[in-house]
C-alpha cells in the first residue's frame, strides 16, 4: 500500500510506460544509475546513499511506529518472518543502547 502523497509524487514522474520502475534481475544497476542521476540533478552529495537506504529508512519508521511484526513483514515484502524479526531485533538493541546512554 502507498500513501496518497506517494501516489501523487509517482503519478507526476514523466515516463514512457505505465510503470514507474522497471525491475528485473539485471535492472539493479540501471535503477542505481537513475538514482545517482537524480542525486546529481538535485546537487545532493551521494556519500553512502543508495536506493536500498529507502528500505532501511522505511523499516526503521515501521519499528518506531510500533507496527506489528506480521504487518511489517507484509509491508517490507519479506518472505520469512525471521527476516523481519532480525531487523526489528537490531533496532530494539540500538534503542536500548541509546536509552542506557541517557543515564
Amino acid at each position: 500500500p502507498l500513501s496518497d502523497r506517494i501516489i501523487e509524487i509517482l503519478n507526476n514522474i514523466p515516463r514512457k510506460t505505465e510503470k514507474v520502475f522497471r525491475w528485473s534481475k539485471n535492472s539493479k544497476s540501471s535503477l542505481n544509475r537513475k538514482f545517482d542521476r537524480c542525486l546529481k540533478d538535485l546537487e545532493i552529495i551521494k556519500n553512502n546513499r543508495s536506493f536500498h537506504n529507502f528500505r532501511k529508512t522505511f523499516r526503521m519508521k515501521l519499528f518506531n511506529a510500533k507496527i506489528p511484526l506480521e504487518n511489517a513483514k507484509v509491508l517490507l515484502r519479506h518472505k520469512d518472518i525471521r527476516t523481519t524479526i532480525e531487523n526489528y531485533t537490531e533496532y530494539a538493541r540500538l534503542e536500548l543502547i541509546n536509552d542506557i546512554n541517557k543515564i
Side-chain angles (χ1 to χ4, degrees):
L2 299 173
S3 70
D4 292 339
R5 179 67 181 129
I6 294 297
I7 291 171
E8 178 185 343
I9 290 168
L10 293 175
N11 283 334
N12 288 321
I13 294 175
R15 55 189 177 272
K16 295 177 184 175
T17 67
E18 177 181 306
K19 295 182 179 180
V20 176
F21 302 108
R22 294 179 304 151
W23 192 262
S24 68
K25 290 182 180 180
N26 299 325
S27 66
K28 183 178 179 189
S29 61
S30 174
L31 186 60
N32 283 329
R33 281 194 303 273
K34 289 178 183 178
F35 178 74
D36 291 347
R37 175 77 182 250
C38 288
L39 291 177
K40 183 178 178 183
D41 290 349
L42 295 169
E43 298 179 358
I44 297 172
I45 298 171
K46 183 171 180 173
N47 289 339
N48 292 324
R49 293 178 177 91
S50 70
F51 199 78
H52 190 71
N53 288 126
F54 289 117
R55 282 186 59 83
K56 290 179 182 178
T57 300
F58 183 59
R59 187 173 62 215
M60 186 176 62
K61 287 182 175 284
L62 292 173
F63 174 79
N64 289 336
K66 310 288 188 225
I67 301 300
L69 282 171
E70 275 296 326
N71 292 347
K73 175 191 172 284
V74 171
L75 292 168
L76 292 165
R77 299 180 55 99
H78 290 156
K79 292 179 183 174
D80 190 329
I81 190 71
R82 289 179 289 189
T83 305
T84 312
I85 291 169
E86 287 171 15
N87 287 300
Y88 265 47
T89 302
E90 176 61 19
Y91 288 129
R93 188 182 71 74
L94 293 173
E95 192 173 74
L96 284 173
I97 291 169
N98 285 336
D99 288 344
I100 198 70
N101 285 331
K102 292 176 186 176
I103 298 174

